[in-house]
C-alpha cells in the first residue's frame, strides 16, 4: 500500500486577501518540505506578477515572506492521501482540509484561486456554501504535467493581481 502523504501548514496571516490552493505537494516538495520545489513547476513564475516581484529569483523563506507582503496565502485542498508519485490522478484515500474554516479566520479574504482542475473540483466541493462569499478562480495547473506552456497559462494567473488591489 502507498504511504500516506501529508500537506504543509497554510501560509497565511490576517491580511491575506487571496488564497491560492493546490492539491497536495508532489514528491520533490514533500522531500524538501517546500511548496512547489520541483524546478520544472511554474508556480513561482506564474504567481510573480500578482506578487509584484520575481519570486523564482528568491530563496524559499523570502518567497513566502513576499507572498505574505503581497497579501497572498498558500495552502492545499488535500490534508493527506495515499499516492504513488506526484500526479493528482494517483491520489487515493483523500482527506481534505477544512478550507471554509481557514477562510473564516481571514478577515480580509476576497478571493480563492485553485491551482489546477483537481484542486478546483475538490476545493469548491469542500467550500460548499462558503464559496458564495469569495471570488472563485480556476487556474491552469502550474505543474509541468499540464503541458499547455507557460505563455498559455500566464494570462489566467495575471488576473490574480486585480484581486489584490
Amino acid at each position: 500500500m502507498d504511504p500516506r502523504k501529508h500537506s504543509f501548514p497554510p501560509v497565511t496571516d490576517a491580511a491575506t486577501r487571496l488564497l491560492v490552493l493546490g492539491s497536495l505537494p508532489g514528491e520533490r516538495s514533500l522531500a524538501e518540505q517546500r511548496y512547489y520545489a520541483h524546478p520544472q513547476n511554474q508556480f513561482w513564475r506564474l504567481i510573480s506578477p500578482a506578487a509584484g516581484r520575481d519570486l523564482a529569483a528568491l530563496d524559499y523563506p523570502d518567497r513566502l515572506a513576499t507572498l505574505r507582503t503581497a497579501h497572498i496565502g498558500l495552502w492545499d485542498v488535500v490534508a493527506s492521501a495515499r499516492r504513488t508519485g506526484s500526479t493528482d490522478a494517483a491520489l487515493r484515500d483523500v482527506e481534505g482540509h477544512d478550507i471554509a474554516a481557514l477562510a473564516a479566520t481571514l478577515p480580509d479574504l476576497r478571493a480563492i484561486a485553485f491551482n489546477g482542475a483537481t484542486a478546483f473540483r475538490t476545493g469548491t466541493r469542500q467550500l460548499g456554501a462558503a464559496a458564495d462569499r469569495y471570488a472563485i478562480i480556476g487556474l491552469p495547473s502550474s505543474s509541468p504535467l499540464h503541458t499547455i506552456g507557460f505563455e498559455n497559462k500566464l494570462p489566467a494567473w495575471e488576473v490574480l493581481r486585480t484581486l489584490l488591489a
Side-chain angles (χ1 to χ4, degrees):
M1 183 174 280
D2 297 327
R4 191 150 200 89
K5 314 284 171 73
H6 298 272
S7 181
F8 307 139
V11 177
T12 59
D13 61 29
T16 299
R17 293 182 192 154
L18 167 67
L19 181 60
V20 180
L21 300 170
S23 54
L24 180 70
E27 293 299 312
R28 179 81 174 257
S29 293
L30 292 169
E32 295 185 23
Q33 290 294 291
R34 299 183 314 144
Y35 279 108
Y36 303 103
H38 195 288
Q40 291 179 338
N41 191 296
Q42 300 165 332
F43 176 81
W44 298 109
R45 289 176 55 211
L46 289 166
I47 198 72
S48 287
R53 188 158 178 206
D54 180 6
L55 297 176
L58 303 176
D59 63 15
Y60 186 69
D62 288 338
R63 288 176 181 178
L64 297 184
T66 302
L67 284 180
R68 284 188 187 100
T69 299
H71 310 293
I72 300 170
L74 189 58
W75 205 26
D76 290 302
V77 298
V78 176
S80 70
R82 297 191 187 283
R83 180 184 64 202
T84 299
S86 296
T87 67
D88 287 350
L91 289 169
R92 302 288 180 263
D93 190 20
V94 173
E95 292 181 13
H97 278 127
D98 191 342
I99 299 164
L102 175 67
T105 69
L106 304 173
D108 291 341
L109 187 64
R110 300 175 183 170
I112 300 174
F114 296 96
N115 183 1
T118 297
F120 182 84
R121 188 173 48 256
T122 304
T124 53
R125 187 172 53 245
Q126 289 166 320
L127 274 171
D132 294 339
R133 296 184 194 119
Y134 311 103
I136 302 296
I137 300 97
L139 297 167
S141 175
S142 65
S143 168
L145 298 175
H146 188 58
T147 59
I148 66 168
F150 179 83
E151 294 76 19
N152 291 318
K153 296 176 186 182
L154 187 59
W157 283 78
E158 287 177 325
V159 169
L160 299 179
R161 177 181 281 193
T162 65
L163 301 167
L164 295 165

